Amino acid sequence: MSTLREDQLSIVEWIAPGSRVLDLGCGDGALLHHLQRERGVTGYGVEIAPDNIIRCIARGVNVIHSDLDRGLSDFDDASFDYVVMTEALQAMRYPHQLLRDMLRVGRESIVTFPNFGHWKCRLQIAFGRMPVTEHLPDTWYNTPNIHMCTIRDFEALCASEHIQVMDRRAVDTRHRDSRAMRWWPNLLAEVALYRCRRQPA
Amino acid sequence: MSADFPADSVGLVSPKSMDFDTPLKLDSGAALDRFTLVYETYGELNAARDNAVLVCHALSGDHHAAGYHADTPHKPGWWDNCIGPGKPVDTRRFFVVCPNNLGGCAGSTGPLSLNPATGEPFGPDFPLVTVRDWVETQARLADALGIECWAAVMGGSLGGMQALQWAVDYPDRLRHAVVIAAAPRLSTQNIAFNEVARHAIRSDGDFHAGRYYEHGVVPARGLMLARMLGHITYLSDDVLMAKFGRELRDGKLNYGYDIEFQIESYLRYQGESFVKRFDANTYLLMTKSLDYFDPAARFGDSLAKAVARTRAKFFVASFSSDWRFSPARSREIVRALLEADLDVSYVELESELGHDSFLLEIPLYHEALAAWFQRIAAEGTQA
């Protein structure tokens, strides 16, 4: 049985039945497996870890072994309805270039990332230390997250890249939101979820 | 007797043979009025006849893929680590068929066979065959065995190319294609290596323009050279260094041309043992078939168009240190399959062992294959 992470469950409802999905950093293929069974979705996962690739194969999820830092050159323009990347943007060498590539390959992109603007992060920085939280448990020297950003940072990047935000959810680590979180997402949300597309010309 | 073989082996096997007497028109324009394929099978064909797996061999392979022959009870088939009960291609679920390719030297019709027109061995008169021709003969074998659609066609290197060609030529007759350490066509460098190998054979004084059988000799030096060269390209620089380094056989330099470094001894041994089991004319023909392989050529050089008619699901794998058919070549295949919107999974496996990795029991590789074949078996029971 596939067990979805909370952020994955949240984005399932953004994906139209029968659509074509590319899942970047698909891990063990749980999201695509779920989408295939529940929403009649087709598509591929992209993954770098061989043991995860084998798990994808075992559950019948198409998976392509690839390093996302080398871009999406294997995929044609506009060949997917959605290009999804959950909790991986901050670990990319060039997040802005990958975002561009995602919107080249897909009609829409769905991105989730940990919000570095959360008050717990701000507080630890204020006391002069790099943040270590429940959701970001790694220390500065061993974290895979080399490009942390805040919700405001991400939206500024979208604006400068002419990317239109279609949907946003700002939630805590249990993926609950609250009125306060909707008012002050950059201070109170631990995880941000975005659905974007190229700004219509 | 069978108790002597490992429990996960298919045990004692013996080759079968099938005669075909409907003329076979070849890509070259030549034709064979009749031909014979020697093949082995492992496991049982089920009642629905939908559990058959075709295993295609590479340049120097043959039909003896798994199990043991009575006369060589200590030497299993060339892919025995992959085929057997409980192995990635599990013979408790699948019926495996492995033929010796047309033009081979292990029993199927080839240069060693008698030419009915002359009563002498074909030798150099045996027509050049292509991967397409092989697929055609394999399809006839499938017909004869009552297999309408293969559960999978699989192979490594030249064998993987046959699996790819199957998807092009018989798009409805396979459900899965397993393409390992292959390429969509040979690079210039690949062809160059093949030409050196052929030149070594053809310039051997004992070659006699391919009619060496009549002279009671074989072009042993040329064939040995070809194999030595091939062997270097099948392994990586790193693995040669790790295995042999600069180790000296006698522990000191002798300042002569006899064997000094261990690698020289190894290559000569590989070459000499190959000469005992392989025919030079077949080697020439097989390298030509490799050179000619280009399934996209008939489709405006678009491999995506070539495979567009199939619904087969592809498993493509490559090995990091393979420089004969590098991961980049497998990615070309994957890109075409993606362009054609086909189901495909691709894995690049970490290995220092070069092109030969596809024959070896590398844990992640075999886990991936096992997962793939379990998926095939699961789909079979759903249908």
Side-chain angles (χ1 to χ4, degrees):
Chain A
M1 275 309 290
S2 52
T3 40
L4 291 191
R5 290 197 317 263
E6 291 291 341
D7 61 325
Q8 293 173 322
L9 277 173
S10 305
I11 61 175
V12 163
E13 60 205 54
W14 280 347
I15 291 175
S19 53
R20 218 169 143 66
V21 175
L22 182 65
D23 184 5
L24 305 181
C26 67
D28 62 7
L31 176 64
L32 273 174
H33 184 62
H34 179 89
L35 289 169
Q36 282 174 6
R37 280 186 322 162
E38 306 296 325
R39 302 226 152 189
V41 155
T42 58
Y44 308 89
V46 177
E47 179 54 44
I48 196 165
D51 49 343
N52 272 335
I53 290 170
I54 290 166
R55 289 190 195 106
C56 289
I57 290 172
R59 55 173 27 143
V61 166
N62 290 324
V63 61
I64 307 295
H65 190 174
S66 193
D67 180 355
L68 292 173
D69 279 332
R70 285 153 68 176
L72 304 177
S73 58
D74 289 338
F75 300 96
D76 290 339
D77 293 1
S79 48
F80 293 92
D81 297 308
Y82 306 94
V83 181
V84 177
M85 186 161 58
T86 56
E87 300 265 338
L89 186 70
Q90 74 283 354
M92 293 296 114
R93 187 89 180 77
Y94 303 106
H96 63 305
Q97 288 179 7
L98 190 58
L99 269 178
R100 278 179 215 157
D101 229 10
M102 288 171 73
L103 286 166
R104 172 185 67 78
V105 166
R107 203 165 45 81
E108 294 181 11
S109 68
I110 294 172
V111 174
T112 78
F113 59 87
N115 173 32
F116 210 61
H118 187 259
W119 63 268
K120 282 185 195 162
C121 296
R122 297 191 196 197
L123 198 62
Q124 291 184 55
I125 294 265
F127 282 102
R129 296 295 300 270
M130 280 298 280
V132 177
T133 67
E134 184 193 348
H135 194 65
L136 295 168
D138 301 312
T139 44
W140 65 272
Y141 49 83
N142 66 3
T143 179
N145 302 325
I146 54 174
H147 282 125
M148 295 300 304
C149 70
T150 68
I151 284 178
R152 284 181 63 187
D153 287 330
F154 182 77
E155 293 190 3
L157 174 65
C158 287
S160 71
E161 291 282 329
H162 307 289
I163 294 170
Q164 181 188 7
V165 174
M166 305 167 72
D167 263 312
R168 180 183 80 189
R169 287 197 65 206
V171 296
D172 65 14
T173 49
R174 289 182 193 82
H175 277 253
R176 295 169 308 199
D177 59 4
S178 63
R179 188 170 298 168
M181 246 183 264
R182 283 195 286 275
W183 284 339
W184 297 292
N186 201 31
L187 190 64
L188 299 180
E190 285 166 293
V191 180
L193 300 81
Y194 281 87
R195 186 159 71 99
C196 310
R197 68 175 177 192
R198 275 259 157 252
Q199 230 159 48
Chain B
M1 189 65 201
S2 64
D4 297 344
F5 299 119
D8 61 353
S9 162
V10 296
L12 198 62
V13 295
S14 45
K16 300 165 181 146
S17 149
M18 187 87 72
D19 298 323
F20 300 87
D21 50 16
T22 313
L24 177 73
K25 186 116 170 35
L26 300 167
D27 256 345
S28 66
L32 289 170
D33 289 337
R34 58 184 66 84
F35 63 95
T36 299
L37 289 185
V38 166
Y39 64 100
E40 286 183 6
T41 68
Y42 322 110
E44 300 290 332
L45 186 61
N46 63 13
R49 308 181 97 76
D50 65 0
N51 69 332
V53 174
L54 176 66
V55 171
C56 305
H57 70 69
L59 178 62
S60 58
D62 57 29
H63 53 280
H64 183 36
Y68 298 82
H69 286 170
D71 56 346
T72 52
H74 303 294
K75 194 173 173 294
W78 56 270
W79 218 355
D80 189 77
N81 61 30
C82 186
I83 303 164
K87 289 178 179 170
V89 183
D90 192 334
T91 48
R92 293 171 304 189
R93 306 187 86 145
F94 293 104
F95 174 63
V96 179
V97 180
C98 182
N100 179 219
N101 283 355
L102 186 73
C105 53
S108 291
T109 302
L112 289 171
S113 311
L114 292 184
N115 182 348
T118 63
E120 297 288 321
F122 276 103
D125 299 330
F126 195 82
L128 289 184
V129 295
T130 64
V131 173
R132 290 182 77 229
D133 295 330
W134 286 334
V135 167
E136 185 56 37
T137 60
Q138 290 158 358
R140 292 200 189 178
L141 180 61
D143 293 341
L145 296 173
I147 297 161
E148 178 53 37
C149 182
W150 298 102
V153 178
M154 73 182 301
S157 190
L158 180 56
M161 295 174 184
Q162 291 164 63
L164 187 57
Q165 189 73 52
W166 259 94
V168 177
D169 291 350
Y170 287 99
D172 303 323
R173 293 196 69 177
L174 74 169
R175 295 200 303 278
H176 296 82
V178 178
V179 181
I180 303 162
R185 59 181 179 184
L186 262 59
S187 70
T188 316
Q189 188 195 50
N190 294 149
I191 296 171
F193 276 122
N194 282 346
E195 174 53 15
V196 175
R198 285 190 293 265
H199 199 76
I201 294 168
R202 294 172 58 81
S203 61
D204 186 317
D206 285 338
F207 183 64
H208 297 291
R211 299 193 191 282
Y212 44 87
Y213 320 115
E214 297 166 22
H215 295 77
V217 292
V218 291
R221 280 159 300 172
L223 185 57
M224 183 175 155
L225 266 177
R227 182 61 171 178
M228 287 165 81
L229 174 72
H231 221 83
I232 298 168
T233 69
Y234 304 147
L235 296 170
S236 70
D237 191 13
D238 287 345
V239 74
L240 285 177
M241 196 67 199
K243 209 166 166 181
F244 305 104
R246 294 176 50 85
E247 201 182 318
L248 297 166
R249 194 174 65 168
D250 301 338
K252 63 179 177 62
L253 295 174
N254 293 324
Y255 296 98
Y257 293 106
D258 282 341
I259 290 172
E260 294 190 283
F261 293 96
Q262 285 293 9
I263 180 63
E264 298 172 319
S265 165
Y266 172 77
L267 283 178
R268 287 189 199 188
Y269 171 77
Q270 287 294 334
E272 281 161 7
S273 56
F274 189 63
V275 167
K276 286 180 201 142
R277 74 173 177 91
F278 215 79
D279 176 59
N281 279 322
T282 286
Y283 198 84
L284 291 171
L285 172 151
M286 292 275 174
T287 61
K288 271 292 182 187
S289 181
L290 268 165
D291 291 1
Y292 294 151
F293 177 69
D294 188 1
R298 288 160 182 265
F299 296 86
D301 281 334
S302 164
L303 187 59
K305 287 198 181 108
V307 294
R309 290 178 305 149
T310 192
R311 293 323 301 163
K313 296 174 179 174
F314 283 77
F315 174 74
V316 181
S318 67
F319 299 94
S320 57
S321 60
D322 184 351
W323 58 281
R324 180 112 177 173
F325 298 135
S326 71
R329 307 306 315 280
S330 283
R331 291 195 83 100
E332 288 177 41
I333 297 173
V334 170
R335 211 170 296 134
L337 298 169
L338 288 171
E339 196 184 328
D341 287 344
L342 291 170
D343 282 309
V344 50
S345 285
Y346 168 67
V347 60
E348 179 186 323
L349 295 145
E350 203 57 50
S351 164
E352 291 178 351
L353 301 166
H355 185 58
D356 265 357
S357 299
F358 84 88
L359 292 167
L360 303 172
E361 198 174 341
I362 297 166
L364 278 173
Y365 167 44
H366 274 203
E367 279 173 43
L369 274 180
W372 188 264
F373 276 89
Q374 278 159 21
R375 176 181 165 181
I376 298 176
E379 283 172 6
T381 55
Q382 277 161 19

